[in-house]
Amino acid sequence: KPRIFSGIQPSADSLHIGNYIGAIQQWKGMQDDFDAIFCIVDLHAITVPQDPKGLREATRTLAVQYIAAGIDPERSTMFVQSQVPGHAQLAWVLNSITGFGEASRMTQFKDKSARQGADAASVGLFTYPILMAADILLYDTELVPVGDDQKQHVELARDLAQRFNSRFGDTFVVPKPRIQQETARIYDLQTPTGKMSKSAATDAGIVWMLDEPTAVAKKIRSAVTDTGREVRFDRGEKPGVSNLLAILSAMRGTTIESLEAEYEGRGYGDFKRDVADAVVAEFAPIRERTIELQADPAEVDRILARSAERANELATAKIATVHERVGLYPSL
Ligand code: ATP
Ligand code: MG
């Protein structure tokens, strides 16, 4: 089976609906046909300030949310990045073959560092895409299912794989991105021109998967829409309505066109109520299952350790080859 790799940062206490539609929903459907590795990328999370205790809890909660949302640890490998040292080891080697100008072109750094102020941003945040390349290349990944915000980073992983291979001999599989369709990008409900992000400054426009059903419904009902009354998909003219259409389409598994037809001549009120109902229907059982699983943290840690062991075997072998190729001393 072809290998896929993807990950999410434990950078908040819960996943949001963008992570669900852009990542988890896609992953879920790929578990049978692919050798799937789903990582909880805590090394990425510390590139911005995190509270240590909060981070450890968020990491376990994220694992629980993977399982509750349908990732099956029996079929897929799901583990915590920092439990496998190969990620940081390979990142160092890749750092050394990445150009400074090349790294400077990554737009996520520009966005995230602008939010923090250029001087406050860490060097880790700057080299984040190189760690992500290491995550992917470490496991001979063929396909990387991600949202379109990560496209540029997967491109970099491809470039680095090709560069390493031509400089040191064939070592890495050159991965391909699998970018979700345009409607899989979810925007902030209060600022529907900006991506919904775990690390956003305010969370009024974020639907967390662990929000109580009443809170979910309220956030959706108060989503920003424009002054017209037509329910029509048009990101330029109607970003708020388009975002809600994208959400409803993902929840129901129907096309945008059929939804536009369904809501023709009906107002925003009906439409928003239906979006809220659909999201609550999807998330309420996942939330309950999450709370159930959280009651047994030791079991969660055992599941993660089992997967980390398998990942570590693959990673250790790859690191040995990489070190050998670049002329580092053999490991003891
Ligand atoms: P952070 O703000 O900490 O970067 P994030 O919400 O961007 O958090 P990530 O952990 O960076 O989440 O990304 C995990 C996965 O979720 C990636 O595959 C990414 O493409 C996808 N993703 C993130 N935000 C969205 C979104 N708004 N819509 C669709 N997919 C998203
Ligand atoms: Mg992100």
Side-chain angles (χ1 to χ4, degrees), residues 85-163:
H87 293 257
Q89 288 175 296
L90 182 55
W92 183 254
V93 174
L94 295 180
N95 264 317
S96 311
I97 65 161
T98 308
F100 189 81
E102 190 177 29
S104 307
R105 284 192 288 276
M106 297 294 125
T107 57
Q108 177 183 279
F109 176 73
K110 291 180 196 163
D111 297 345
K112 284 196 174 177
S113 60
R115 239 186 278 155
Q116 291 183 59
D119 286 339
S122 70
V123 176
L125 186 63
F126 182 71
T127 62
Y128 170 117
I130 300 159
L131 175 59
M132 177 166 159
D135 301 339
I136 296 166
L137 301 184
L138 195 54
Y139 300 104
D140 292 327
T141 304
E142 288 177 56
L143 265 191
V144 189
V146 283
D148 73 342
D149 61 305
Q150 295 299 325
K151 194 170 162 184
Q152 196 186 27
H153 294 163
V154 181
E155 263 325 300
L156 178 71
R158 288 172 57 82
D159 291 345
L160 293 177
Q162 278 158 346
R163 185 173 311 155

Side-chain angles (χ1 to χ4, degrees), residues 7-9 11 16 18-19 22-23 112 128 146-147 149-150 184-186 195-199:
I8 301 182
Q9 306 182 61
S11 45
H16 56 68
N19 303 133
K112 284 196 174 177
Y128 170 117
V146 283
D149 61 305
Q150 295 299 325
R185 180 192 275 236
I186 303 303
K195 183 183 94 70
M196 191 182 286
S197 285
K198 280 188 250 95
S199 56

Side-chain angles (χ1 to χ4, degrees), residues 189 220 223 225 239-249 271-272 275:
L189 298 186
I220 292 173
T225 42
V241 170
S242 302
N243 194 33
L244 293 176
L245 274 168
I247 290 174
L248 189 55
S249 148
F271 171 58
K272 282 181 163 179
V275 177

Side-chain angles (χ1 to χ4, degrees), residues 237-269:
E237 295 290 314
K238 292 171 157 282
V241 170
S242 302
N243 194 33
L244 293 176
L245 274 168
I247 290 174
L248 189 55
S249 148
M251 293 295 115
R252 290 213 195 137
T254 52
T255 62
I256 301 275
E257 295 78 60
S258 72
L259 293 174
E260 285 174 332
E262 182 180 341
Y263 289 97
E264 179 142 24
R266 293 163 67 189
Y268 290 163

